[in-house]
Amino acid sequence: MNKKIKVFASATISNVGCGFDTIGFAIDKPGDIVSLSLRNDGIVKIKKITGDGGVLPYEIEKNTATVGILELLKNYPNKNIGVDVEIIKKMPIASGLGSSAASSVAAVFGMNKLLNNYFSETEVLNFAVKGESIASGDIHADNVAPCLFGGFALIRDYNPIDVIKLPVPQNLYCTVLYSQIVIETKQARKLIKKNLQLKKARKHFGNIGTLVSGLYESDLSKIGRSIEDEISEPARAALIPNFYDIKNAALSAGAYGCSISGSGPSIFAFSDSEITAKKIGSAMKKIVDKNGIKTTLYISKINPQGPKII
Ligand code: HSE
């Protein structure tokens, strides 16, 4: 049995316009790294966290990475297994990029590898979802599932969790603009209305079907048409200064659809080439620059792979 492992897990874009809590995809970068070193005394300990600006907890019951591991160990027969954990945050926290999901997935995926894949894919998913829920205050798998499986993942149901993996169009590029403002998912979820009018629900059913069809056919125009959001975007747009100006700038620069990534503040836009993806990024950034808010741009293809052992 290997005693040590280091895992990279990538950022993810959830909701994807029409799929609140239902659909997400993984991008190549940024991502988090978690290192694990097995112990034989049943103790789980966070030895070091870097890149978090000192904000993440060392208490194992409060950190997304270790909550997932604790859940896994609860279900593992050998109670002497413990682990030392090091978390290297390589992406902004509370950014809408699935940062807590990445740490949770890297930790649980790595732990399962150290235990010779004792648990199934679905069990690993459930442990990681539990870990992530510490950060968001709720169960949602639209970051964890694509982070773990790579590509696009659709959550058909939560009870029990049922994930459908979707194809990745070869020519699909994603531009992500992260503005340096903090939006806590826990708070942002409180803004979502509990009921959805039938008329709006109907639009969502139509759009999610169109998105899935667009992914299967690598039809970017279909994908773009489906990026409409009646649930998250209207409730959260006000948290992101000039959101609609940024979105319009992305669409004018050639984006096939643009919306809030997860609970924000990151905004994603689809395109069909790296050149257009960069052009879209500059157009979006120009708007935020006027407000003096710092930004980071990520241009990436869709990451089909899931976590990487490094
Ligand atoms: N679907 C979740 C939400 C994603 O919008 O609250 C959070 O990253």
Side-chain angles (χ1 to χ4, degrees):
M1 195 191 268
N2 274 338
K3 289 220 169 306
K4 283 183 182 198
I5 198 166
K6 201 176 197 183
V7 178
F8 168 88
S10 77
T12 43
I13 312 295
S14 55
N15 296 341
V16 202
C18 56
F20 178 74
D21 278 4
T22 313
I23 193 158
F25 63 91
I27 53 177
D28 286 331
K29 56 185 180 208
D32 282 349
I33 294 169
V34 173
S35 293
L36 304 173
S37 178
L38 284 185
R39 310 169 52 125
N40 54 14
D41 55 5
I43 290 173
V44 175
K45 196 174 166 100
I46 301 178
K47 295 288 262 190
K48 199 170 167 190
I49 308 176
T50 49
D52 67 324
V55 301
L56 291 180
Y58 274 76
E59 294 103 305
I60 56 169
E61 296 83 7
K62 290 188 182 163
N63 190 298
T64 55
T66 37
V67 169
I69 290 177
L70 290 174
E71 217 35 52
L72 177 150
L73 288 177
K74 230 191 262 173
N75 291 278
Y76 192 66
N78 182 349
K79 299 299 170 197
N80 292 325
I81 295 286
V83 66
D84 284 331
V85 181
E86 183 182 346
I87 302 160
I88 307 167
K89 293 302 290 182
K90 293 263 192 190
M91 66 166 124
I93 296 163
S95 60
L97 290 171
S99 154
S100 25
S103 291
S104 180
V105 165
V108 175
F109 174 89
M111 198 64 195
N112 195 41
K113 288 277 166 226
L114 290 179
L115 301 177
N116 293 327
N117 290 320
Y118 180 83
F119 294 102
S120 70
E121 236 182 20
T122 307
E123 286 170 318
V124 169
L125 173 75
N126 279 306
F127 300 145
V129 166
K130 199 76 198 276
E132 202 281 343
S133 70
I134 285 293
S136 66
D138 205 355
I139 295 283
H140 70 93
D142 50 341
N143 292 108
V144 167
C147 184
L148 182 61
F149 301 135
F152 280 82
L154 179 127
I155 325 304
R156 190 197 64 83
D157 200 2
Y158 276 85
N159 195 17
I161 207 156
D162 181 10
V163 174
I164 314 289
K165 298 174 196 174
L166 297 169
V168 174
Q170 271 310 307
N171 56 339
L172 187 59
Y173 283 79
C174 181
T175 304
V176 177
L177 179 77
Y178 162 63
S179 298
Q180 235 180 58
I181 50 176
V182 171
I183 298 180
E184 299 281 355
T185 300
K186 222 180 245 182
Q187 301 308 325
R189 286 183 79 78
K190 292 184 187 154
L191 299 175
I192 304 290
K193 287 191 186 143
K194 295 283 172 282
N195 296 305
L196 185 66
Q197 276 176 1
L198 185 59
K199 237 180 164 178
K200 292 186 174 178
R202 187 171 72 179
K203 201 168 174 190
H204 262 265
F205 306 146
N207 277 325
I208 201 111
T210 305
L211 174 57
V212 171
S213 164
L215 292 173
Y216 270 95
E217 292 174 0
S218 292
D219 182 334
L220 269 55
S221 156
K222 263 191 185 175
I223 293 171
R225 275 185 354 253
S226 77
I227 309 297
E228 290 187 314
D229 186 352
E230 296 287 344
I231 298 176
S232 166
E233 196 182 279
R236 293 164 169 171
L239 301 175
I240 305 168
N242 300 104
F243 169 74
Y244 288 107
D245 294 338
I246 302 166
K247 177 172 172 156
N248 287 334
L251 295 173
S252 302
Y256 290 93
C258 171
S259 191
I260 300 173
S261 171
S263 55
S266 293
I267 299 171
F268 78 95
F270 284 137
S271 59
D272 57 6
S273 75
E274 195 174 348
I275 294 175
T276 314
K278 285 184 179 159
K279 209 171 114 194
I280 292 166
S282 315
M284 292 162 92
K285 185 173 156 34
K286 219 182 256 174
I287 313 261
V288 184
D289 284 349
K290 282 188 206 148
N291 288 329
I293 299 171
K294 279 196 186 150
T295 54
T296 310
L297 266 178
Y298 302 101
I299 310 283
S300 171
K301 290 198 85 169
I302 313 306
N303 165 7
Q305 196 189 339
K308 260 188 281 187
I309 297 170
I310 52 175

